[in-house]
Amino acid sequence: MMHWFEGPLAAFDTETTGVDVEQDRIVSAALVAQDTTGGRVRTTRWLVNPGIAVPAGATEIHGLTDDHLQRNGRWPAPVMDEVARSLAESCATGRPLVVMNAPFDLTLLDRELKRHRASSLAGYLADVPLRVVDPRVLDKHLDRYRKGRRTLKDLCELYGIPLDGAHDAAADATASLELVRAICRRFSSRLERLSPAELHTLQTGWHAAQARGLEAWFARSGTPEAVDQAWPLRPRPEVPAAAA
């Protein structure tokens, strides 16, 4: 019997103006889908004119300049609607959604929907079963004592996954999808009996434990820093009540 991780999967990735999910913007996004291991990968891409300047540091990473985005990117409002609808349609089929470091990409999309659509990702996913698989959370839980970094590039090298054109949303999404297949194969004895829905629930606890461990490490290093435990989507910050 074929395991679920060898069957239909989708993967989502974004490139952005920075790493602050509350302030930064999406400049490109991609959703890829594959029906079976080794099958054809179907890719949907979006290019966005974010309406703000793209910092030089971000351009150095993904190669997208202000000029290119202004000439070729679309306005954010319709793009964010299309992205959220595409995710919802994919999830509605029961296809697990692979997102590397899910709290970043999904939270940033949620904030863009708030900014440009006065909406939320939860609104688009109402009554849709969200089953996220995060290769970073999986690897960190299943091989927790391994030393070294766990970026997409590092994990792809470890598991033998090609990563052609890193920091292109479509390339990163495709690599993340293949990475999940590879991780699940390596640890199949611990994962094969879990459904995607059960794995989604488990990752919520695994990520929270990983966040607490990282927070403790920061404290021991003398650089205390809060680490958000929410997964796969961070709640929106509470808005302070207006002064009387």
Side-chain angles (χ1 to χ4, degrees), residues 22 110-111 113-115 118-121 234-238:
E22 304 299 338
D110 177 75
R111 303 313 191 256
L113 289 167
K114 177 184 178 183
R115 184 177 293 120
S119 184
S120 67
L121 184 56
R234 298 174 189 168
R236 292 179 177 178
E238 294 185 6

Side-chain angles (χ1 to χ4, degrees), residues 16-26 52 108 112 115:
T16 69
T17 60
V19 297
D20 185 339
V21 295
E22 304 299 338
Q23 300 297 329
D24 280 305
R25 312 295 175 88
I26 293 173
I52 65 171
L108 189 53
E112 288 279 57
R115 184 177 293 120

